[in-house]
Amino acid sequence: MVSSGTVSPLVGLPIVRQAEPAGGAARVLAEFARGGETRELHVAFRAPGRDAVDAVHAAAVEAGVEVLHEPREWPEYHPGYYAVFLRDPDGHNVEAVHHG
């Protein structure tokens, strides 16, 4: 896992974590640059509240982004875990989540 304070210019939310495969992020980025890595990544953005998660969902729908899972609470992760899951144009799973 990699933590970062980087803010996405598209949704305006900070990155919470990103799964890191064996070999580290530098290897994956190098393979992306060469066009060799094609598997799906999962990136989560921390939202300040449920309204922000809902706003990300509304903006995604308006932009024609594929919605994998509409906003809802995910108690299997932990109580108060409220998130929306989207597919970005490169096929990656993007999540906006509020830890209520």
Side-chain angles (χ1 to χ4, degrees), residues 6-86:
T6 303
V7 175
S8 165
L10 298 177
V11 296
L13 301 174
I15 293 176
V16 177
R17 64 188 177 275
Q18 176 178 340
E20 184 175 314
R27 180 194 63 79
V28 171
L29 293 175
E31 288 187 25
F32 277 151
R34 288 192 308 271
E37 181 68 39
T38 59
R39 75 172 169 249
E40 173 185 318
L41 296 176
H42 179 165
V43 181
F45 295 90
R46 181 174 300 172
R50 287 178 176 229
D51 57 337
V53 172
D54 293 339
V56 168
H57 175 252
V61 168
E62 184 175 324
V65 172
E66 179 184 358
V67 177
L68 299 173
H69 301 286
E70 294 196 7
R72 69 173 179 90
E73 190 159 331
W74 296 82
E76 59 269 36
Y77 297 139
H78 67 71
Y81 194 108
Y82 186 79
V84 61
F85 295 85
L86 310 167

